[in-house]
Amino acid sequence: MRILLSFLLLVLFSTLIVPQNYSKKISLRKIDNHVIIDGEIDNVWALADSVTDFTQHQPYWSEKPSLKTVAKVLTSDESLYCLIKCYDDRGVTEYQTGILDDFGGDIVSFMIDTFNDKRTAYKFAVASSGFRSDARLLDDARNRDYSWDGIWFAETKRYNWGFAVEIEIPYKSIQYNESAEHWGIDFDRWIPNLTEDIYWCAYEENEGQRISKFGQMVFENFYPVESGLNLEIFPVAIGKMSYLGDNKYKVEPDAGIDFFYNPSPRLTLQATANPDFAQIEADPYDFNISRYESYFSERRPFFTQGNEIFMPAGRQRNTGFYRPLELFYSRRIGKKLPDGSEVPLVFGAKAFGRFGDTEYGSFIAGTGSQDFKDGDAQLTEESAYFASARVKKQIFDNSSVGVLYVGKFDQNNDYGVLDIDGAFRGSNWQLAYQLARSFKNNEGDYAFSAGLTSVSDGWITYVKTRLIGADFDIDQIGFVPWRGNSQVVTLSGPRWYFDTGYIRQILMYAGGIVNYEDADLYTDLGGLFGFNMQFRDNWGFEINLDLSDAKDSDINYSSFSANFSSWFNPSAKFSGNLWGGYQKTYNFSRDYLSFYSWAGTSVSSPISTYLEIGTSVDVYIEGDPDYNVEEVIYNARPYFSLTPVNNLNIKMYVDNVYVSSSDKLERLIVGFFFAYNFSPKSWIYLAFNEFRDRSEEYDANNNILPAKLHVTDRAAVLKVKYLYYF
């Protein structure tokens, strides 16, 4: 702890204020007419200021780009415009069709920090084929939120010298500081056949992109003003078909409505009535032998959109080493019950915005009651209200501190948690912290977590800790299953970056592990070692080992694990991952000590401009108490994805689970998905899922039938969502 505090004080006073690329400036000039967004380079662009001085970030950091890129900006009273000219040999440019936020090929990005807060920015990306992607950059670009979906327009056109991208961003589609004299700005271009990533602004090789180092887009005798009512209305028509068994179906037509309203450039209101939160794609197969429940990511748009304000500080996109406690786990709302039924959602509403350097947000949702069976017991999940409130303030230029409250209320119980969290940041380090207090009627307890990440030119240091009280119970609203647990993990080691040659980077690290659990009244002590190597053609691998003295279920033993992972993304035409490992550990699903081993791969490749195929394959091997093989489970999820034109996608996947002891497929899921984004934020969805397994099946006389793979659920959903924009 003394080392941690000393390091904090040293870096806090030396790097709290992070300089921008102040020498990088581009003037934003006003025009009287609208720019026609068609990829044509009209004469109006001759009035625009332009930049060409891009620099490589990879594969050869700080070198000049291999190809020329020109970026220009203009504005009208209503919209911001950007033109990016990409010079290249037309024969090698990747032109792949795509759908929103599902991209590949040659890509350019336009990024703007509209509040000059040096922490958050909008990102608008367009591929050479014309498909679009948008996101919010968070925490000084350490994170990305691709659930953000804005209203903006873009087109591309091919030329003999390469291709051009035109972008229009209506000011009423974004939030901004209307009195600012400049915004932070950067441009990015990814050239897959060269594995080359270039930016207009220069960033340190060990840091990556930082919003705090953006250049400036300077307004020339112009300030953006909002126009229109800034109201979005989404009527939603829904048709559901559910399988009841015995070849009988239930058809349920339904409707809902969503609202988005921006009364000012600093405030957004969002509401939904009778929402449809059905997931389009089933969760992947879950193999879990630990004593804790599994975590599943949120996929429902209402909960993912605008959720950045409710996220505690400290997440980092490029490393999964530290993750703050998940105090608001939205999958508790409208959750699945033990018999497979779901708690109905009645309504939901959000508000989020900012005042000066303070961000704020609130959330409320109501659920209805639902009867369900748990074994032989007939139970009822009572109707409830969920609420959350958040305030986050920027301090010390690029750091933050915030308060978060989450609660659930039903007719019998009140649940809640109150949190203070934040992060101190420099350009190449971050110290995040979090202190929370839970409430369950009149009971409760405390939890604390913190994480330090530091990556310098020649050294890395990671430290994380968590202390969870025995009565810290937020199972109704969050995901913190490790009650009565204390943990500290540290690792540190040298880092080598090579300016030239095939190898780009080598990391070596070592550290220690301390882990205490009330369930065992024992403190595990151990160490770890790792080796990471990355290459210039966009692939690499990592090996790590750990050994500790452990105790589980009154058994003392030496725990050991070895892990391997590799990633290979040499071009837009092929990408994949390979992983595996071995662990000596306690198997809580079988209640004995043994080994557990695993291996897996995922690969994907576009076999044409329109068609991509891929699969993931996992193998799980469980040992018995004598360290012989007890069970082998295979899980594969092959798929194809067809995108005949931009913004129209047809995808089909098959998820199957094979178990060696029965020598049979034990579970099969077939999924089909059609999506067409026919207008900004307007979609047609058609989804079909069929579930089969070998669960017990009975005839009409309640006699058990021979075990066979049979349909347990079959459902189809047709959803039409249309945006009215004022």
Side-chain angles (χ1 to χ4, degrees):
M1 184 60 71
R2 288 179 186 157
I3 295 174
L4 185 62
L5 291 175
S6 298
F7 178 84
L8 170 61
L9 291 174
L10 176 64
V11 296
L12 185 60
F13 290 107
S14 62
T15 59
L16 276 178
I17 299 178
V18 182
Q20 285 184 300
N21 283 282
Y22 284 117
S23 61
K24 295 276 190 174
K25 294 184 180 181
I26 185 171
S27 295
L28 181 64
R29 296 165 183 165
K30 183 177 177 296
I31 56 175
D32 295 328
N33 299 319
H34 293 284
V35 176
I36 299 174
I37 303 301
D38 55 7
E40 293 277 356
I41 306 175
D42 299 322
N43 293 334
V44 68
W45 284 110
L47 304 174
D49 194 8
S50 64
V51 297
T52 59
D53 51 337
F54 284 71
T55 184
Q56 278 195 51
H57 192 73
Q58 71 172 56
Y60 298 102
W61 175 72
S62 80
E63 294 293 322
K64 290 183 179 180
S66 303
L67 300 168
K68 182 181 178 181
T69 305
V70 180
K72 298 186 174 188
V73 291
L74 284 172
T75 187
S76 65
D77 286 329
E78 294 81 21
S79 296
L80 173 64
Y81 301 97
C82 177
L83 169 70
I84 303 179
K85 298 168 63 176
C86 302
Y87 290 83
D88 198 358
D89 183 347
R90 180 170 178 169
V92 300
T93 302
E94 295 285 351
Y95 296 103
Q96 297 179 26
T97 55
I99 201 165
L100 182 65
D101 294 335
D102 188 3
F103 50 87
D106 290 62
I107 301 169
V108 297
S109 299
F110 175 44
M111 294 151 286
I112 45 175
D113 174 7
T114 58
F115 284 96
N116 292 320
D117 64 10
K118 304 179 185 178
R119 292 184 299 110
T120 61
Y122 292 98
K123 177 178 180 178
F124 305 90
V126 185
S128 53
S129 63
F131 74 81
R132 304 174 303 119
S133 174
D134 52 23
R136 290 277 290 157
L137 306 185
L138 310 173
D139 298 332
D140 203 7
R142 289 172 171 85
N143 285 302
R144 307 283 191 272
D145 178 13
Y146 283 99
S147 67
W148 183 78
D149 186 9
I151 298 175
W152 58 288
F153 310 93
E155 290 291 343
T156 63
K157 184 175 180 180
R158 306 182 198 183
Y159 295 87
N160 291 332
W161 45 262
F163 66 96
V165 175
E166 278 190 308
I167 299 172
E168 178 187 359
I169 304 166
Y171 285 114
K172 61 183 179 181
S173 298
I174 57 176
Q175 292 184 319
Y176 56 87
N177 180 355
E178 61 271 23
S179 62
E181 296 181 352
H182 61 82
W183 289 351
I185 186 173
D186 196 12
F187 308 95
D188 176 29
R189 180 182 176 188
W190 166 245
I191 310 169
N193 66 295
L194 301 175
T195 64
E196 186 168 308
D197 195 14
I198 64 174
Y199 291 91
W200 177 49
C201 296
Y203 305 106
E204 295 299 320
E205 177 275 327
N206 58 296
E207 297 171 5
Q209 187 183 34
R210 291 288 179 260
I211 300 169
S212 55
K213 294 186 177 182
F214 273 16
Q216 293 184 357
M217 181 175 67
V218 181
F219 299 114
E220 286 194 357
N221 300 317
F222 167 80
Y223 290 95
V225 293
E226 56 181 319
S227 61
L229 187 59
N230 307 307
L231 174 65
E232 303 174 18
I233 301 176
F234 299 88
V236 180
I238 308 163
K240 296 182 180 179
M241 180 186 70
S242 304
Y243 181 65
L244 301 178
D246 196 25
N247 292 320
K248 296 179 180 179
Y249 296 87
K250 179 181 180 182
V251 179
E252 301 173 276
D254 208 345
I257 192 166
D258 297 337
F259 298 90
F260 287 83
Y261 178 44
N262 294 297
S264 79
R266 296 168 178 257
L267 175 63
T268 297
L269 305 176
Q270 179 181 355
T272 182
N274 192 29
D276 170 52
F277 292 132
Q279 286 184 222
I280 296 300
E281 189 171 334
D283 287 319
Y285 173 72
D286 173 47
F287 183 85
N288 185 356
I289 62 171
S290 76
R291 58 161 45 113
Y292 303 113
E293 69 170 307
S294 297
Y295 179 87
F296 292 100
S297 298
E298 180 61 84
R299 301 184 181 191
R300 299 169 294 179
F302 176 77
F303 292 107
T304 59
Q305 292 173 355
N307 70 341
E308 62 181 78
I309 185 63
F310 302 102
M311 293 168 52
R315 298 190 186 206
Q316 295 202 177
R317 180 175 59 97
N318 293 328
T319 174
F321 179 78
Y322 170 73
R323 180 168 181 160
L325 303 177
E326 192 106 2
L327 304 180
F328 182 20
Y329 183 39
S330 57
R331 288 195 62 151
R332 304 293 192 201
I333 306 173
K335 63 185 178 182
K336 285 191 175 182
L337 299 169
D339 64 355
S341 60
E342 293 183 357
V343 177
L345 284 105
V346 180
F347 72 91
K350 289 181 185 178
F352 47 91
R354 65 171 68 207
F355 181 78
D357 56 7
T358 300
E359 298 177 73
Y360 57 88
S362 61
F363 168 89
I364 187 169
T367 59
S369 63
Q370 177 67 42
D371 296 329
F372 68 98
K373 291 187 68 175
D374 189 359
D376 295 329
Q378 185 70 40
L379 303 172
T380 299
E381 179 78 13
E382 301 293 341
S383 60
Y385 294 95
F386 295 81
S388 180
R390 173 70 157 166
V391 177
K392 183 167 60 174
K393 181 177 175 59
Q394 184 173 344
I395 59 174
F396 298 128
D397 197 47
N398 192 244
S399 302
S400 64
V401 61
V403 178
L404 172 68
Y405 169 77
V406 186
K408 176 186 176 182
F409 313 93
D410 61 33
Q411 64 180 12
N412 298 313
N413 298 285
D414 295 339
Y415 308 91
V417 63
L418 183 64
D419 152 87
I420 298 174
D421 65 85
F424 296 103
R425 297 186 185 94
S427 60
N428 67 350
W429 64 272
Q430 175 177 269
L431 175 62
Y433 58 90
Q434 182 180 37
L435 176 64
R437 163 75 176 179
S438 68
F439 303 91
K440 184 178 180 181
N441 297 324
N442 296 322
E443 301 176 353
D445 210 337
Y446 291 92
F448 172 78
S449 75
L452 169 69
T453 60
S454 173
V455 181
S456 66
D457 288 338
W459 200 266
I460 64 168
T461 300
Y462 290 169
V463 181
K464 67 177 180 180
T465 183
R466 71 181 182 211
L467 295 88
I468 315 297
D471 296 320
F472 188 82
D473 183 358
I474 61 168
D475 288 350
Q476 295 292 322
I477 52 178
F479 185 87
V480 184
W482 315 282
R483 289 196 290 273
N485 171 251
S486 301
Q487 182 186 82
V488 178
V489 181
T490 65
L491 63 87
S492 189
R495 172 182 180 271
W496 296 275
Y497 175 80
F498 303 94
D499 293 326
T500 60
Y502 185 58
I503 299 174
R504 184 165 65 90
Q505 175 183 275
I506 294 177
L507 299 175
M508 293 181 64
Y509 56 85
I513 304 171
V514 179
N515 188 69
Y516 170 82
E517 290 180 297
D518 276 351
D520 303 303
L521 297 176
Y522 191 81
T523 301
D524 301 348
L525 299 175
L528 57 88
F529 170 80
F531 179 84
N532 176 295
M533 181 175 288
Q534 299 178 32
F535 303 91
R536 281 207 152 78
D537 55 358
N538 218 24
W539 81 279
F541 68 89
E542 181 167 1
I543 299 171
N544 58 70
L545 312 170
D546 67 73
L547 176 67
S548 66
D549 179 32
K551 181 180 180 181
D552 287 303
S553 294
D554 296 324
I555 299 176
N556 290 86
Y557 64 98
S558 293
S559 174
F560 169 77
S561 72
N563 302 272
F564 170 81
S565 63
S566 180
W567 53 96
F568 30 96
N569 306 279
S571 73
K573 295 185 178 296
F574 184 80
S575 64
N577 292 273
L578 179 67
W579 58 86
Y582 174 92
Q583 184 175 19
K584 177 185 176 182
T585 187
Y586 197 85
N587 188 327
F588 285 91
S589 67
R590 297 182 181 273
D591 199 24
Y592 56 66
L593 177 68
S594 188
F595 75 89
Y596 154 56
S597 187
W598 64 96
T601 185
S602 66
V603 293
S604 63
S605 176
I607 60 176
S608 74
T609 305
Y610 318 109
L611 179 63
E612 177 183 284
I613 60 172
T615 189
S616 63
V617 180
D618 286 282
V619 180
Y620 307 98
I621 304 172
E622 294 179 272
D624 65 15
D626 296 323
Y627 291 85
N628 300 311
V629 174
E630 173 76 25
E631 186 72 273
V632 181
I633 298 174
Y634 303 88
N635 175 224
R637 197 180 178 103
Y639 74 90
F640 76 82
S641 178
L642 177 65
T643 311
V645 295
N646 283 331
N647 298 318
L648 189 153
N649 180 248
I650 299 170
K651 183 177 181 179
M652 184 172 181
Y653 70 93
V654 179
D655 189 313
N656 56 83
V657 177
Y658 175 86
V659 178
S660 64
S661 60
S662 64
D663 196 24
K664 296 176 180 176
L665 281 177
E666 294 292 337
R667 192 190 84 166
L668 180 69
I669 301 175
V670 178
F672 172 85
F673 176 47
F674 169 91
Y676 179 37
N677 183 199
F678 60 91
S679 182
K681 301 181 85 167
S682 300
W683 294 81
I684 297 175
Y685 295 110
L686 174 62
F688 171 84
N689 286 291
E690 178 175 294
F691 297 77
R692 293 174 175 260
D693 65 22
R694 296 182 184 274
S695 58
E696 291 183 348
E697 188 179 16
Y698 299 87
D699 63 15
N701 298 317
N702 207 32
N703 298 314
I704 193 167
L705 297 172
K708 65 177 182 178
L709 201 64
H710 63 280
V711 176
T712 58
D713 193 13
R714 183 183 288 145
V717 176
L718 174 65
K719 181 175 179 179
V720 180
K721 176 180 178 181
Y722 184 74
L723 167 66
Y724 289 94
Y725 188 40
F726 304 95

